[in-house]
Amino acid sequence: MILLSFSISLFMVNSCMTHSLFTCEPMRVHWCHDMHYNNTFFPNMLDHYDQDIAAVMMKHFMPLANLRCSPDVHLFLCQAFVPECTEHTHVLRPCRELCERVVSDCSRDMLTFGISWPLELQCDRLESCHLSSDGSAVSSMEDTTTARGSLSANRDLGFWCPLQLKTRPGQGGTFLGAQDCAPPCDNMYLKPQEVRLAKTFIGVSSIVCLCATLFTFLTFLIDVKRFRYPERPIIFYAVCYSFVSLIYFVGFLLGNEAACNKPSLPGRVSTIVLGAQSRSCSLLFMLLYFFSTAGMVWWVILTITWFLAAGLKWSCEAIEKKAVWFHAVAWGLPGALTIVLLVLNKVEGDSISGVCFIGLYDLTALRWFVVAPLAAGVLAGLSLLLAGIVSLNRVRQVIQHDERNQEKLKKFMIRIGVFSGLYVIPLLALLGCYLYEQFRRSAWENTWINEHCQEYSIPCYYSSVDADRPELALFLMKYLMTLVVGISAVFWVSSKKTCSEWASFFNRTRKKDPISESRRVLQESCEFFLKHNSRVQHKSKHYKPSSHKLKVISKSMGTSTGIQTPVTSNHDNTPVSTAISNHNIPSQSVSDPHCFSETQRDSPPPAERRSKVDSSSRISSHAESLRRMTPKDDVLQSAHSANSQ
């Protein structure tokens, strides 16, 4: 019997006409054809908008009518699901006493079949019955079609949440003003192929932004002391947008897993996540809103530090002392706004990007928590930017005597001004997209309702509605401007110094030890020396080539052979070591005393007699030249001395 009832209901659903005309209409529900009336009115008291939905929902209670658990159960169900309409102006609804008798008589059977009584049919919500002339109870008559069902323009009843989009009560979801309702997961404004194109575009843009911001942050890690205030906020700003791009990339990988809810009941469709009931969606929202807002705040702090340096002539140390306050504002303000939005349950899924954000369907939240902070940040940043540019000439006048520093300051200020401008332009474009969406969203929603009212069996607009849909380029520009502000950070670190730092970083592991390199050069020089001077006969009693070579190598390596020869000047009895020590030359600078004496011997004799002061000066200058020699120069000098001998 239940299978037969289900088959009949499917037949009636397929044979019924479209949505209700919101006036008295012929009754087509088969279960109520034996009633004393044949006209009905929709929506009924259970918020069903036509007879199709009413027939599907009524079949769950038909076992009570078939069992005849109460003599009034059939009348009560028909009056509740398919109410009587008379004279095109009045609707006859079930009354309280009738409801109480049915509930009392059929309570046992409802427990047997597992039937729950709807909240809309609670007896205390119904009006009392009126007694007829014969003493029987008569249902109350309501004049509800006068305002709703007239043929005038007042028939526009606004948006009624379809049964397919209903959510569980208590979740706090609101869609187009309807409680416990959520928008469909399929995008309301774009076609499926346009959504796929937008997803690919967002994924590629997020990867580019992530690479750019990570490059900026890693450049900072290579040389932390390079980026000081007032340019330090650029690093934190890049870190914020690296998280933003990473979240968009995660949304691209997840698809609609986090942004949409799966159908909970047969006949329902996938809906957008509204509220904080989904942990994954809430987590994506918290990270995305927090870091996007923090990135904007760090840009404002960048303009503040730039103004302090250019306008108020603050030093880097003075600005750095305020870093604690900068961090408190940059991280505390976005954190407070994020907590407020979670408390207000304003989380919304985005079926295009796959992430969760705010203001996608709630214009009020978009206006106060996205557009207002963005406009305030743009206004404050531009004001400080212009003030810094005006004060730039004053700073140049203060240091006009120092041309080098003046030129460096000029380049630095122009660079940071251009960078701030590169951030402002995408920010202004993003603000324009949000404002345009604020003004046109209502027209887009009305167009969607008018196109899907028959599909969802909800009231259509009686008055003509001009079709108005957003272009795909608007959404692409909004997501691009959200991510491109992070890409601009890479232009600040793009310089020759950055290239040299990265080249040094990659070659650091392969770079040879300087001491080992010096030893290699010494060894090659000595081999060259021995090869080309093997025929030279050294007959000097106190000169030994092997000991000379050993002393050269050992002295260049910072070791000692234990042989020390006092060397004096040719013109004075003052030791060379005394002259060297008077000039503060370390002992490692001189490779060997013989090198110095032989070199001095090879020099041409003086043309005239010199005084002791001239001799001492010559020895000191020669010792200074020996101190500046590299290890390779020591070997060449030693080779030259040996050849002379």
Side-chain angles (χ1 to χ4, degrees):
M1 183 175 59
I2 297 176
L3 181 61
L4 179 61
S5 302
F6 181 74
S7 302
I8 295 174
S9 63
L10 290 179
F11 174 78
M12 289 188 298
V13 168
N14 293 329
S15 60
C16 288
M17 298 175 61
T18 59
H19 65 287
S20 173
L21 299 176
F22 291 87
T23 58
C24 289
E25 58 185 73
M27 183 173 58
R28 299 185 300 273
V29 179
H30 176 73
W31 291 315
C32 299
H33 280 176
D34 55 349
M35 292 289 107
H36 61 277
Y37 60 92
N38 54 9
N39 289 328
T40 185
F41 170 83
F42 279 86
N44 57 16
M45 59 186 303
L46 284 82
D47 288 337
H48 300 154
Y49 306 114
D50 58 18
Q51 299 185 50
D52 299 347
I53 300 176
V56 174
M57 300 303 297
M58 188 178 176
K59 71 180 181 63
H60 299 290
F61 299 91
M62 289 311 297
L64 301 178
N66 296 330
L67 292 175
R68 298 184 182 273
C69 58
S70 175
D72 300 322
V73 61
H74 197 185
L75 175 63
F76 176 80
L77 292 176
C78 288
Q79 288 183 348
F81 287 92
V82 192
E84 179 183 357
C85 180
T86 62
E87 302 176 1
H88 299 280
T89 57
H90 297 85
V91 175
L92 188 65
R93 300 189 183 277
C95 59
R96 183 182 305 170
E97 288 78 8
L98 182 64
C99 175
E100 292 174 351
R101 289 199 302 268
V102 172
V103 172
S104 177
D105 296 339
C106 300
S107 58
R108 183 178 301 177
D109 294 329
M110 285 191 293
L111 292 175
T112 302
F113 289 94
I115 298 175
S116 59
W117 200 254
L119 295 177
E120 295 83 358
L121 294 181
Q122 294 296 327
C123 298
D124 54 355
R125 295 185 178 184
L126 304 178
E127 297 183 0
S128 300
C129 300
H130 301 283
L131 296 178
S132 61
S133 57
D134 56 356
S136 61
V138 179
S139 300
S140 59
M141 187 78 65
E142 295 183 2
D143 188 7
T144 57
T145 59
T146 303
R148 296 183 180 181
S150 62
L151 299 178
S152 62
N154 293 330
R155 290 174 58 187
D156 293 338
L157 302 179
F159 177 74
W160 295 64
C161 185
L163 183 65
Q164 297 89 332
L165 303 180
K166 282 284 188 179
T167 60
R168 296 177 181 178
Q171 292 184 351
T174 303
F175 175 52
L176 299 180
Q179 292 290 336
D180 299 329
C181 190
C185 188
D186 296 334
N187 192 263
M188 297 170 55
Y189 312 122
L190 300 180
K191 299 177 181 179
Q193 59 270 22
E194 293 177 338
V195 173
R196 289 192 294 269
L197 176 61
K199 285 181 178 292
T200 305
F201 179 81
I202 295 171
V204 174
S205 301
S206 62
I207 293 175
V208 174
C209 179
L210 181 61
C211 295
T213 51
L214 285 180
F215 175 78
T216 304
F217 181 65
L218 294 177
T219 303
F220 165 73
L221 294 181
I222 291 176
D223 189 2
V224 179
K225 297 181 180 180
R226 175 185 172 186
F227 299 95
R228 301 181 62 190
Y229 285 94
E231 58 181 340
R232 180 67 64 85
I234 296 177
I235 305 302
F236 302 112
Y237 145 82
V239 171
C240 292
Y241 278 96
S242 65
F243 277 95
V244 171
S245 57
L246 179 62
I247 294 167
Y248 274 107
F249 182 68
V250 171
F252 169 73
L253 296 179
L254 292 178
N256 292 331
E257 292 294 329
C260 295
N261 287 322
K262 297 181 179 179
S264 57
L265 295 174
R268 305 288 178 90
V269 297
S270 298
T271 57
I272 293 292
V273 174
L274 295 181
Q277 70 271 13
S278 175
R279 294 182 180 179
S280 58
C281 184
S282 299
L283 179 61
L284 291 176
F285 160 75
M286 291 171 58
L287 295 176
L288 181 58
Y289 185 80
F290 175 81
F291 283 107
S292 60
T293 308
M296 182 188 62
V297 176
W298 273 117
W299 178 79
V300 175
I301 293 175
L302 173 65
T303 58
I304 293 175
T305 57
W306 183 72
F307 173 74
L308 293 176
L312 303 182
K313 307 178 184 66
W314 283 32
S315 63
C316 297
E317 292 78 9
I319 298 176
E320 193 170 0
K321 291 180 180 179
K322 307 296 181 182
V324 176
W325 297 101
F326 295 154
H327 284 276
V329 175
W331 306 119
L333 181 61
L337 292 177
T338 304
I339 293 174
V340 170
L341 290 172
L342 287 175
V343 172
L344 296 178
N345 212 21
K346 295 296 182 180
V347 182
E348 298 174 353
D350 186 2
S351 60
I352 299 178
S353 62
V355 300
C356 296
F357 201 60
I358 181 179
L360 301 171
Y361 301 96
D362 190 351
L363 288 177
T364 304
L366 177 66
R367 186 181 303 114
W368 292 108
F369 290 94
V370 178
V371 177
L374 188 61
V378 170
L379 182 61
L382 283 178
S383 301
L384 294 170
L385 201 62
L386 295 177
I389 293 175
V390 171
S391 302
L392 181 61
N393 292 329
R394 299 178 183 177
V395 178
R396 294 179 59 189
Q397 293 176 0
V398 171
I399 60 173
Q400 60 183 353
H401 59 280
D402 192 348
E403 295 182 357
R404 180 182 178 183
N405 289 334
Q406 184 182 13
E407 187 66 22
K408 290 173 62 177
L409 180 62
K410 178 182 177 181
K411 291 181 179 180
F412 175 76
M413 293 301 177
I414 291 177
R415 188 181 176 192
I416 199 170
V418 171
F419 169 78
S420 300
L422 292 176
Y423 182 88
V424 169
I425 293 175
L427 211 62
L428 290 175
L430 181 62
L431 183 61
C433 292
Y434 282 134
L435 292 177
Y436 180 78
E437 188 175 355
Q438 279 275 328
F439 288 111
R440 303 302 303 172
R441 177 82 70 82
S442 298
W444 302 342
E445 292 172 348
N446 293 337
T447 301
W448 179 82
I449 293 174
N450 221 31
E451 291 178 350
H452 295 81
C453 59
Q454 296 186 11
E455 175 185 353
Y456 290 122
S457 299
I458 59 177
C460 298
Y461 285 103
Y462 176 72
S463 58
S464 60
V465 177
D466 296 333
D468 190 2
R469 302 180 188 84
E471 296 292 336
L472 175 63
L474 175 67
F475 293 94
L476 297 182
M477 179 177 292
K478 183 175 69 173
Y479 292 112
L480 178 62
M481 294 300 105
T482 302
L483 294 170
V484 77
V485 291
I487 300 176
S488 60
V490 77
F491 291 101
W492 178 259
V493 299
S494 298
S495 62
K496 294 181 179 179
K497 187 175 182 180
T498 301
C499 296
S500 63
E501 287 181 352
W502 277 99
S504 176
F505 174 76
F506 285 119
N507 294 330
R508 188 172 300 171
T509 55
R510 297 178 296 175
K511 188 176 181 181
K512 298 181 179 179
D513 186 25
I515 298 177
S516 301
E517 184 70 14
S518 301
R519 292 177 180 176
R520 186 185 62 82
V521 173
L522 287 172
Q523 185 178 359
E524 292 178 357
S525 301
C526 292
E527 291 176 356
F528 178 80
F529 163 74
L530 294 175
K531 179 179 179 180
H532 291 278
N533 296 278
S534 59
R535 299 179 182 179
V536 178
Q537 300 296 329
H538 302 281
K539 299 180 179 180
S540 177
K541 181 179 181 180
H542 300 286
Y543 179 77
K544 295 181 180 181
S546 59
S547 62
H548 175 73
K549 181 180 69 172
L550 178 61
K551 283 186 289 184
V552 168
I553 297 175
S554 63
K555 287 287 186 177
S556 300
M557 294 181 181
T559 60
S560 177
T561 59
I563 303 174
Q564 296 181 356
T565 305
V567 180
T568 58
S569 174
N570 293 333
H571 303 282
D572 196 6
N573 295 327
T574 306
V576 178
S577 60
T578 306
I580 295 175
S581 63
N582 291 337
H583 289 274
N584 298 325
I585 301 177
S587 60
Q588 294 92 326
S589 300
V590 183
S591 61
D592 188 73
H594 291 286
C595 297
F596 179 77
S597 61
E598 292 298 328
T599 305
Q600 195 175 30
R601 188 181 301 117
D602 292 338
S603 61
E608 59 182 0
R609 193 173 204 69
R610 300 181 183 275
S611 63
K612 294 182 179 181
V613 178
D614 296 334
S615 177
S616 178
S617 301
R618 184 170 64 254
I619 294 173
S620 301
S621 61
H622 198 78
E624 180 69 17
S625 64
L626 287 176
R627 184 179 64 84
R628 296 180 179 178
M629 281 185 180
T630 60
K632 189 173 181 180
D633 295 334
D634 289 343
V635 176
L636 296 179
Q637 183 71 16
S638 302
H640 179 68
S641 300
N643 288 332
S644 300
Q645 292 179 1

